[in-house]
């Protein structure tokens, strides 16, 4: 508190402008060393800065440079492992670059609701990163106004996107292919699949990779069982699969689904991996500590988030070309939940 009883506050750029009798744009030019300011005006502004104890803020820098050092991430989910890890990677990279980060939650895929959230994010200034793993995210990526710097974190595209689309992804198709081949190599005649929701109505990358491995091996293609994002969806799918004695291998679209599938198999008295092998996806923190420990595909979501911010930073600062690109190929980690089928199983 000061002697008048009022809470003191830090001087703003407008306080400096008023004290020096200039516009705040002139103050911005002075603190950023712009050569177009007269020497007498510069000296007057510098004197006001000293007198008021003004310190340049990120806002002042944005006024001078025309760029806001901030990023807003639009996402439909902040709790699931993949989403949360991407957010972590973006935040780490943004903080290292002295950017602030905000989050806009897409509460539904409704066109009006998505457009309003995108507009709020655009009005905040700075760049946008959209996690487009679901219909709401895909729609948000499509709704971003022209001229707003934006990067999309997307499912593996069916083909390489046009060069003007700054997207990043991990190669889920190859990862699902390798996970399915692993199970087939153990001697399973086929592999059943519990799918996560896709961002579009076309075949998701993980489903495509699973199917490609089965076709290459000449194995029967079971109909995919549609799951949700969480363990409850996996449990419901697992109960159906557990009731079929011909099921000996199950690939799950994420580790939370695998958790539910494992519970359903346990309730049905089917041993893992003695009777049924289970493979997850994403290598969530709990995967290695289940009983049995879960064979899973490790995804570098945190690295994906860092890469998304790196691409956005290049766009905003005009220091790197815009180019869509995969960030990494996920790695299969073989643990206790997968093994050869029992003879005559």
């Amino acid at each position: 508190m000061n002697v008048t009883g009022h809470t003191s506050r830090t001087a703003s750029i407008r306080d400096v402008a008023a004290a020096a009798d200039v516009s705040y744009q002139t103050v911005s030019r002075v603190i950023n060393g712009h050569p177009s300011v007269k020497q007498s005006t510069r000296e007057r502004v510098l004197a006001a800065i000293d007198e008021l104890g003004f310190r340049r803020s990120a806002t002042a820098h944005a006024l001078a440079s025309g760029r806001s050092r901030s990023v807003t991430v639009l996402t439909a989910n902040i709790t699931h492992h993949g989403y949360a890890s991407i957010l972590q990677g973006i935040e780490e990279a943004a903080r290292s670059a002295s950017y602030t980060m905000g989050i806009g939650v897409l509460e539904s895929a409704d066109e009006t609701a998505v457009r309003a959230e995108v507009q709020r994010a655009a009005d905040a200034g700075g760049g946008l990163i959209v996690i487009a793993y679901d219909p709401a995210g895909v729609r948000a990526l499509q709704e971003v106004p022209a001229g707003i710097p934006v990067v999309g974190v997307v499912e593996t595209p069916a083909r390489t996107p046009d060069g003007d689309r700054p997207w990043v992804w991990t190669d889920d198709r190859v990862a699902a292919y390798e996970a399915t081949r692993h199970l087939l190599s153990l001697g399973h005649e086929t592999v059943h699949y519990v799918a996560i929701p896709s961002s579009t109505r076309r075949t998701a990358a993980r489903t495509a990779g699973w199917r490609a491995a089965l076709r290459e091996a000449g194995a029967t293609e079971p109909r995919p069982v549609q799951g949700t994002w969480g363990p409850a969806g996996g449990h419901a799918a697992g109960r159906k699969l557990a009731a079929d004695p011909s099921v000996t291998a199950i690939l799950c679209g994420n580790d939370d689904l695998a958790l539910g599938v494992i519970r359903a198999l346990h309730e049905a008295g089917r041993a893992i991996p003695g009777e049924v092998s289970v493979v997850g996806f994403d290598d969530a923190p709990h995967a290695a500590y289940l009983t049995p420990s879960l064979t899973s595909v490790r995804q570098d979501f945190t690295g994906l988030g860092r890469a998304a911010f790196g691409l956005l930073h290049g766009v905003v600062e005009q220091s790197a070309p815009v180019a869509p690109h995969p960030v990494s190929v996920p790695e299969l980690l073989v643990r206790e939940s997968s093994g050869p089928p029992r003879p005559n199983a």
Side-chain angles (χ1 to χ4, degrees):
M1 301 289 286
N2 63 19
V3 294
T4 64
H6 297 292
T7 302
S8 60
R9 66 177 179 85
T10 303
S12 71
I13 192 171
R14 294 185 183 273
D15 293 329
V16 174
D21 195 23
V22 297
S23 67
Y24 71 85
Q25 292 93 335
T26 297
V27 176
S28 295
R29 285 191 284 271
V30 170
I31 62 179
N32 286 281
H34 199 283
S36 66
V37 182
K38 292 193 303 183
Q39 184 60 30
S40 60
T41 302
R42 185 183 306 278
E43 291 174 356
R44 194 161 72 248
V45 170
L46 291 173
I49 287 173
D50 288 340
E51 181 181 349
L52 296 174
F54 172 78
R55 297 179 63 186
R56 187 176 77 161
S57 66
T59 302
H61 177 75
L63 287 169
S65 66
R67 295 191 297 266
S68 174
R69 298 180 68 83
S70 65
V71 56
T72 300
V73 184
L74 293 174
T75 178
N77 194 291
I78 61 173
T79 59
H80 287 314
H81 171 64
Y83 289 81
S85 297
I86 291 169
L87 289 170
Q88 177 186 343
I90 295 170
E91 191 280 327
E92 289 174 355
R95 181 157 34 91
S96 295
S98 298
Y99 271 59
T100 59
M101 176 182 134
I103 299 174
V105 177
L106 303 165
E107 295 184 353
S108 81
D110 174 74
E111 183 176 355
T112 301
V114 169
R115 186 173 295 150
E117 192 60 46
V118 169
Q119 192 59 57
R120 276 193 290 271
D123 289 345
L128 303 182
I129 296 176
V130 181
I131 302 178
Y133 283 168
D134 44 67
V138 170
R139 174 159 280 169
L141 194 55
Q142 296 168 344
E143 292 287 345
V144 176
I148 301 294
V150 59
V151 167
V153 181
V154 300
E155 281 192 87
T156 308
R159 58 182 181 275
T160 302
D162 295 337
D164 62 346
R165 295 186 181 181
W167 294 352
V168 293
W169 62 89
T170 58
D171 200 333
D172 286 7
R173 187 182 296 107
V174 170
Y177 171 85
E178 294 295 344
T180 306
R181 276 176 53 89
H182 164 68
L183 289 166
L184 294 172
S185 73
L186 293 172
H188 296 279
E189 293 184 0
T190 190
V191 178
H192 292 256
Y193 180 56
V194 181
I196 55 173
S198 176
S199 63
T200 66
R201 293 185 181 182
R202 63 177 173 78
T203 300
R206 298 183 188 188
T207 304
W210 161 77
R211 184 168 287 141
L214 293 180
R215 290 178 178 175
E216 182 183 276
T220 302
E221 286 183 42
R223 186 180 184 86
V225 180
Q226 185 59 54
T228 58
W229 290 101
H235 186 260
R239 291 180 65 183
K240 295 177 184 177
L241 293 171
D244 183 349
S246 71
V247 173
T248 66
I250 303 171
L251 174 64
C252 300
N254 69 19
D255 290 343
D256 282 347
L257 286 178
L259 183 65
V261 167
I262 287 172
R263 178 65 190 180
L265 291 170
H266 172 75
E267 290 171 352
R270 302 198 65 184
I272 304 168
E275 292 183 62
V276 185
S277 287
V278 179
V279 174
F281 222 104
D282 298 342
D283 193 35
H286 63 260
Y289 301 97
L290 297 175
T291 302
S293 58
L294 181 64
T295 295
S296 187
V297 176
R298 174 172 290 171
Q299 299 254 65
D300 185 9
F301 286 118
T302 305
L304 186 61
R306 293 193 195 102
F309 178 81
L311 188 54
L312 181 70
H313 189 262
V315 173
V316 172
E317 303 291 337
Q318 300 177 347
S319 60
V322 174
H325 64 280
V327 171
S328 64
V329 175
E331 173 190 6
L332 179 66
L333 299 178
V334 178
R335 299 193 180 103
E336 297 169 346
S337 68
S338 59
R342 285 180 180 173
N344 302 319

